[in-house]
Amino acid sequence: MGLTDFLISFSIIMMMLSFISERASNFIKLYFQSKIIYIPFLYIDKNNKWKLFLSAKLEILAYSQPTQAGEKEREYRVMIINIIIGIIIAAMANANFFEIVKKISSSTANKDEVMIQGWLMSDVDFKKVIGLIYLLIFVWSLSLMLFNKLQENTTGVNQYYVRTPFLLWILVTLLFLILGKGDQNSFYLKIINHTIGYVFVGVF
């Protein structure tokens, strides 16, 4: 397959996923406008009381702002939503970037091959559940870091503590790499491969 054919096939797949992601993102933007959003996170507030959630009422989200600074704030929120929704859509569709590239590159042998096959309930097993938890922890830790920078967030949690879940996720990733021992068929490396693949597709 030539580079042009590859880029056309890849662009079509990304475009279809983008349509789905865009609709979902628009719904989220409209739904959460002027609503309070909660993200699970255990911390001690300014009054030395334990809290279970970071929370903020999103006033800048769905509608254009009158000032340039306000519009930049809105763009930041839209970017957060687009990235997170994109990753979730990619995971739900089982759209692994590396698998898509591999299938497109080898599709000359089978023109009828489906590039994105999704998930079947019969395929769900313990290993896939572990992979799902690993992915959810990544999305959660990423959401915490991005959310904590919102100006509506008045909890005042130190950014260092908010990064802790992401740093722990990185440590788990390093542990998986060690346990995988460089074997591409290893359960641990497959988890990392799929998660990073979903993130790449989500960003695209």
Side-chain angles (χ1 to χ4, degrees):
M1 173 180 286
L3 178 60
T4 301
D5 292 334
F6 174 86
L7 291 176
I8 290 173
S9 299
F10 183 79
S11 298
I12 291 174
I13 293 172
M14 292 299 105
M15 181 179 66
M16 298 307 296
L17 290 172
S18 294
F19 285 157
I20 301 172
S21 180
E22 181 183 4
R23 296 297 180 268
S25 297
N26 285 338
F27 172 78
I28 294 296
K29 285 186 292 184
L30 293 172
Y31 179 80
F32 280 103
Q33 173 66 40
S34 299
K35 286 186 173 63
I36 299 176
I37 185 172
Y38 298 92
I39 298 183
F41 186 66
L42 184 64
Y43 70 98
I44 301 177
D45 67 5
K46 298 176 183 178
N47 299 319
N48 292 324
K49 293 183 178 180
W50 285 97
K51 298 291 184 180
L52 299 177
F53 298 93
L54 291 178
S55 62
K57 186 175 183 180
L58 300 181
E59 299 290 354
I60 304 175
L61 184 59
Y63 309 112
S64 298
Q65 301 299 303
T67 64
Q68 184 176 4
E71 186 61 18
K72 289 295 182 183
E73 285 289 335
R74 191 180 78 89
E75 290 176 359
Y76 176 74
R77 289 153 180 72
V78 172
M79 179 196 70
I80 295 174
I81 292 173
N82 286 341
I83 290 176
I84 293 175
I85 292 296
I87 295 173
I88 292 173
I89 294 296
M92 291 177 64
N94 193 16
N96 181 346
F97 174 83
F98 305 111
E99 291 294 327
I100 292 173
V101 171
K102 180 180 178 181
K103 288 180 180 179
I104 293 176
S105 301
S106 62
S107 63
T108 51
N110 184 3
K111 295 293 184 181
D112 297 326
E113 184 174 9
V114 178
M115 300 302 172
I116 301 177
Q117 297 181 344
W119 295 100
L120 296 174
M121 291 301 297
S122 58
D123 294 335
V124 176
D125 55 21
F126 177 74
K127 293 181 179 179
K128 290 184 174 63
V129 171
I130 296 298
L132 174 62
I133 294 173
Y134 177 80
L135 175 64
L136 289 177
I137 292 175
F138 171 80
V139 173
W140 170 63
S141 61
L142 179 66
S143 301
L144 282 175
M145 291 189 297
L146 296 175
F147 175 88
N148 200 50
K149 294 182 179 180
L150 299 183
Q151 68 180 28
E152 294 99 329
N153 177 24
T154 59
T155 52
V157 180
N158 190 303
Q159 191 70 14
Y160 173 80
Y161 296 113
V162 174
R163 292 194 194 105
T164 302
F166 185 74
L167 295 176
L168 292 175
W169 180 84
I170 291 177
L171 290 177
V172 173
T173 302
L174 293 175
L175 177 62
F176 281 1
L177 288 173
I178 294 172
L179 294 174
K181 299 178 181 179
D183 182 6
Q184 293 184 352
N185 294 320
S186 166
F187 155 66
Y188 302 103
L189 294 189
K190 284 183 177 180
I191 288 179
I192 297 174
N193 176 283
H194 277 72
T195 300
I196 295 177
Y198 297 150
V199 172
F200 280 1
V201 171
V203 171
F204 272 111

